[in-house]
């Protein structure tokens, strides 16, 4: 059973509820300039549990359910946890530098950076789906922008590349351990 994926989804839903009750937490917990200016070290992690709308939450959780359960089942709970959280945190930190360049007063929230890590992992291990996954990343990154919706497109791309690289390292380690 893929309990970890379910727990992450439940935690996202709980945080969304708290966010609706205490909206100012979005700026304290979201990924923004305060990470550097005020040393808010928790922002890369906490920002992954905030969402801009119910639709944002539902879409992210549907994709997390789909890819999280597959990766948790086939690559293991431990690797899934490390990939999701470490990949999500690194993606948030790297994305902050792009955000500060594009919109210095911007605030980045959502699980899509961590979910994009899962896309990259899935793409590495399932090469027949790689082109479709790249197209999906491009569509979810740039179509909203064309419609005037603010999206951290760079987090999607960084997360996907990081996930693909993590898949490569994971594969090489498994290969070395089998020898």
């Amino acid at each position: 059973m893929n309990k970890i994926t379910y727990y992450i989804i439940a935690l996202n839903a709980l945080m969304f509820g708290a966010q609706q009750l205490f909206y100012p937490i979005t700026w304290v917990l979201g990924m923004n300039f305060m990470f550097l200016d005020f040393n808010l070290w928790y922002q890369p992690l906490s920002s992954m549990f905030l969402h801009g709308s119910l639709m944002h939450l539902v879409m992210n959780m549907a994709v997390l359910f789909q890819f999280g359960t597959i990766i948790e089942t086939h690559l293991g709970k431990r690797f899934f946890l490390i990939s999701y959280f470490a990949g999500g945190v690194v993606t948030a930190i790297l994305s902050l530098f792009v955000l500060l360049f594009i919109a210095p007063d911007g605030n980045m929230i959502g699980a899509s950076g961590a979910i994009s890590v899962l896309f990259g992992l899935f793409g590495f291990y399932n090469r027949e789906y790689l082109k479709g996954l790249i197209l999906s990343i491009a569509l979810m990154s740039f179509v909203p922008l064309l419609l005037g919706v603010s999206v951290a497109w760079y987090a999607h791309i960084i997360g996907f590349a990081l996930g693909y690289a993590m898949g490569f390292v994971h594969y090489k380690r498994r290969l070395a351990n089998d020898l």
Side-chain angles (χ1 to χ4, degrees):
M1 185 170 205
N2 305 307
K3 291 181 182 178
I4 294 172
T5 301
Y6 299 144
Y7 290 141
I8 295 171
I9 290 170
L11 185 55
N12 271 278
L14 287 171
M15 283 299 295
F16 184 74
Q19 182 184 350
Q20 300 312 300
L21 294 173
F22 309 104
Y23 189 73
I25 68 169
T26 301
W27 276 95
V28 176
L29 299 179
M31 191 67 182
N32 54 53
F33 69 91
M34 291 191 283
F35 174 72
L36 299 173
D37 291 353
F38 300 108
N39 198 25
L40 299 182
W41 55 268
Y42 54 82
Q43 281 187 338
L45 180 63
S46 61
S47 65
M48 293 172 18
F49 293 97
L50 302 177
H51 290 84
S53 68
L54 181 59
M55 183 57 73
H56 185 206
L57 174 71
V58 169
M59 288 181 354
N60 273 348
M61 295 306 100
V63 176
L64 173 58
F65 175 77
Q66 182 180 13
F67 286 90
T69 55
I70 292 169
I71 291 170
E72 186 178 347
T73 300
H74 295 285
L75 297 178
K77 293 178 184 325
R78 183 172 177 257
F79 183 67
F80 169 71
L81 264 174
I82 292 168
S83 300
Y84 186 82
F85 286 107
V89 165
V90 171
T91 296
I93 291 169
L94 294 174
S95 297
L96 177 64
F97 295 106
V98 178
L99 174 68
L100 292 175
F101 182 74
I102 294 172
D105 61 341
N107 189 32
M108 197 170 42
I109 58 174
S112 45
I115 292 168
S116 295
V117 169
L118 301 181
F119 268 54
L121 277 170
F122 190 84
F124 178 81
Y125 279 105
N126 299 279
R127 303 276 169 85
E128 66 272 15
Y129 298 109
L130 186 57
K131 288 180 184 176
L133 290 167
I134 292 171
L135 179 61
S136 295
I137 289 288
L139 289 173
M140 74 177 165
S141 297
F142 300 114
V143 169
L145 288 176
L146 295 172
L147 298 172
V149 177
S150 180
V151 172
W153 55 270
Y154 39 88
H156 300 158
I157 295 167
I158 291 168
F160 185 86
L162 183 61
Y164 194 88
M166 290 170 80
F168 177 79
V169 170
H170 181 254
Y171 176 76
K172 289 294 185 183
R173 261 198 198 148
R174 283 175 54 185
L175 202 59
N177 289 339
D178 289 344
L179 295 178

